[in-house]
Amino acid sequence: MHAPDKMTEESNSRDLVEQAITLDQYMYYAKLKRNAEKGGYSGNGIDADGTDVARPSLIQMARNMGNSFVAHKELEQGLVIAMKESQVEATAGLSELEVEKLHARRLIRVVSWSTIFYLITTDILGPFNAPWATANLGLVPGVMLYFFFGLIAGAAGLVLSYLYNKLDSDRYPIKTYGDLAERIGGLPLRHICVVLQGIQLIFTVALALLSAGQSLYQISSGRLCFSICLLIWALIGMIVGQIISLRNVGVLGGFSLYVNLLIVVMSMGVVAHSLPDFEAADAANDTLGTGPVIVKAFNSGQLVEQVGGMFNLVFTFGGAMVFPELMAEMRRPMDFPKGMICAQILISVVYLMYSIFWYCFQGPYTQPNSFQGISPFAWRTTFDAMNMYVSFLKLVLFFSCSISFKGLP
């Protein structure tokens, strides 16, 4: 691929306006950036002498006796040359102010693939409605659909990663899903994706609010108005989401993952040694009665319930809409598949095991938020308190991922 013509507009009138930029230009600068990132280094910390202060890969740390920071004399010369060429090419034709902005964008991209793993599990992992979806569909369709949807979600993540690495660069960064869509299909495709992503974000945030609000309402034993519970969590998410970066959310998300898994393990132990909450189940469906628990391979219930269960299955893996936003803060976006694949495998395994186990013990008495359908009040309150922390982090994550409406009138 040949270098595109250099832009020579006056610096005082440019302000990084992207006009008449071709797909080849996007791909050219992206290739320079990816070449600079090869070998485990990001190139974000390179100075005039070629010193790279970014974290090397585990293999490179082992070769350098565990050093976290390696001087340029210990790097391969080809890597140093690639990083220097990338820096020179990316800043060609830019004003001093624009170069400073470009360097600033480099320095804030500090998220690693391990943080991405925790962010994706924070975003997607929440298997407490999986048993309800399985109960509506039956054991066989539930297991099969979770397995295949997991494969499709992993493939979609790989496609997004491929497109991002082919089109993102320091000079022309991709920050949102809409940016990626615009470079592939122009502004019309961007507008469609932005509108659809906005609608999905509304429903995703609404579900997280409902989950956290219901937990708070149950803990208060009805002393707080349910609408007030929702308002409290909405305000907390909006305020905290403006001041916490994705890197810090990733740190908290690591703890969130373990809290989620702890709820899964503890609630499985409780449901195996207690009866369902028949009163709550009867309030949702007065035809169930008080037993016995019946497990069906194929559920022949109402079509509306089966469609609702299938929608829950699909929605389980809907977190891919924020993948470009996550990659935009990565030190090395080409490492994204490592964190994404690990997260998708963990999520699929947990969802499958939890939904099968829970449905086999509660059958048609399974509630949309599974642990809120157990009979011991103390355990239900404990899980509600733990779930509020998990829901809080989901709200912060989604409020932190803004959507750009560039080009809309």
Side-chain angles (χ1 to χ4, degrees):
M1 186 180 296
H2 299 288
D5 295 336
K6 302 296 185 297
M7 297 185 179
T8 59
E9 299 175 58
E10 294 296 329
S11 60
N12 58 355
S13 63
R14 176 187 170 94
D15 194 24
L16 287 177
V17 176
E18 299 181 15
Q19 56 180 5
I21 301 174
T22 65
L23 186 62
D24 283 341
Q25 287 177 294
Y26 285 130
M27 295 179 65
Y28 174 77
Y29 287 109
K31 184 178 180 180
L32 289 177
K33 178 61 177 174
R34 300 293 89 80
N35 286 340
E37 293 171 350
K38 288 181 179 178
Y41 295 87
S42 66
N44 291 358
I46 189 171
D47 60 19
D49 297 326
T51 302
D52 181 70
V53 297
R55 181 190 295 179
S57 66
L58 294 178
I59 296 177
Q60 290 170 321
M61 288 178 64
R63 290 175 180 173
N64 292 277
M65 305 301 292
N67 291 334
S68 297
F69 303 99
V70 184
H72 74 284
K73 64 181 180 180
E74 296 172 315
L75 299 178
E76 297 178 4
Q77 288 302 310
L79 179 60
V80 176
I81 294 173
M83 287 190 292
K84 287 184 175 180
E85 289 180 349
S86 173
Q87 191 174 30
V88 172
E89 290 286 348
T91 57
L94 301 182
S95 68
E96 184 177 348
L97 176 60
E98 292 161 355
V99 172
E100 291 180 0
K101 290 180 180 180
L102 187 146
H103 288 318
R105 284 200 295 266
R106 282 197 186 116
L107 294 175
I108 63 175
R109 299 178 72 156
V110 295
V111 174
S112 65
W113 72 267
S114 59
T115 304
I116 291 298
F117 168 79
Y118 289 119
L119 286 171
I120 294 177
T121 52
T122 300
D123 170 21
I124 299 178
L125 186 61
F128 309 117
N129 69 337
W132 182 79
T134 302
N136 284 329
L137 291 169
L139 203 57
V140 174
V143 171
M144 292 180 62
L145 288 176
Y146 265 121
F147 176 76
F148 287 113
F149 284 154
L151 292 179
I152 294 172
L158 292 176
V159 171
L160 288 174
S161 176
Y162 175 82
L163 293 174
Y164 186 93
N165 284 292
K166 284 291 185 180
L167 297 172
D168 168 76
S169 63
D170 288 327
R171 185 167 184 144
Y172 303 118
I174 292 177
K175 300 178 182 179
T176 66
Y177 206 110
D179 293 337
L180 185 60
E182 181 181 2
R183 298 191 184 178
I184 298 172
L187 279 176
L189 183 59
R190 176 194 180 90
H191 297 339
I192 294 173
C193 289
V194 165
V195 172
L196 293 177
Q197 187 183 15
I199 295 173
Q200 186 175 1
L201 271 175
I202 291 173
F203 286 109
T204 302
V205 172
L207 285 175
L209 282 174
L210 287 172
S211 178
Q214 188 171 355
S215 294
L216 181 59
Y217 180 77
Q218 285 196 342
I219 290 176
S220 68
S221 298
R223 288 188 291 269
L224 277 177
C225 174
F226 185 68
S227 298
I228 297 299
C229 294
L230 297 179
L231 180 61
I232 290 173
W233 284 112
L235 293 175
I236 291 175
M238 285 187 289
I239 295 172
V240 180
Q242 302 302 315
I243 60 178
I244 295 184
S245 66
L246 285 184
R247 186 183 187 184
N248 293 330
V249 175
V251 174
L252 297 175
F255 187 59
S256 170
L257 169 62
Y258 302 120
V259 171
N260 250 325
L261 295 178
L262 186 61
I263 297 176
V264 168
V265 174
M266 292 172 63
S267 62
M268 288 170 68
V270 173
V271 76
H273 295 87
S274 63
L275 294 173
D277 187 349
F278 294 117
E279 183 178 350
D282 186 67
N285 186 351
D286 56 7
T287 64
L288 293 176
T290 58
V293 172
I294 300 175
V295 178
K296 297 181 179 180
F298 297 90
N299 194 339
S300 57
Q302 297 182 2
L303 179 61
V304 175
E305 296 177 350
Q306 294 183 354
V307 172
M310 188 170 63
F311 281 166
N312 268 270
L313 288 171
V314 175
F315 193 76
T316 296
F317 299 98
M321 66 174 178
V322 296
F323 282 0
E325 282 85 346
L326 299 183
M327 286 185 277
E329 296 206 19
M330 288 190 70
R331 182 170 57 243
R332 298 182 69 242
M334 63 173 63
D335 285 342
F336 177 79
K338 290 192 285 187
M340 187 272 298
I341 291 174
C342 291
Q344 296 287 13
I345 291 175
L346 174 66
I347 290 166
S348 298
V349 171
V350 170
Y351 271 76
L352 277 172
M353 292 182 59
Y354 188 71
S355 62
I356 294 171
F357 187 92
W358 197 278
Y359 177 58
C360 288
F361 277 99
Q362 286 210 338
Y365 300 98
T366 303
Q367 295 299 300
N369 214 355
S370 60
F371 56 81
Q372 292 177 346
I374 59 177
S375 52
F377 177 77
W379 281 112
R380 189 168 67 237
T381 303
T382 301
F383 297 144
D384 279 331
M386 298 168 71
N387 181 61
M388 285 195 299
Y389 170 76
V390 174
S391 299
F392 162 73
L393 281 184
K394 285 188 177 183
L395 291 173
V396 171
L397 175 62
F398 285 117
F399 279 120
S400 298
C401 295
S402 60
I403 303 177
S404 173
F405 284 85
K406 172 185 172 185
L408 288 177

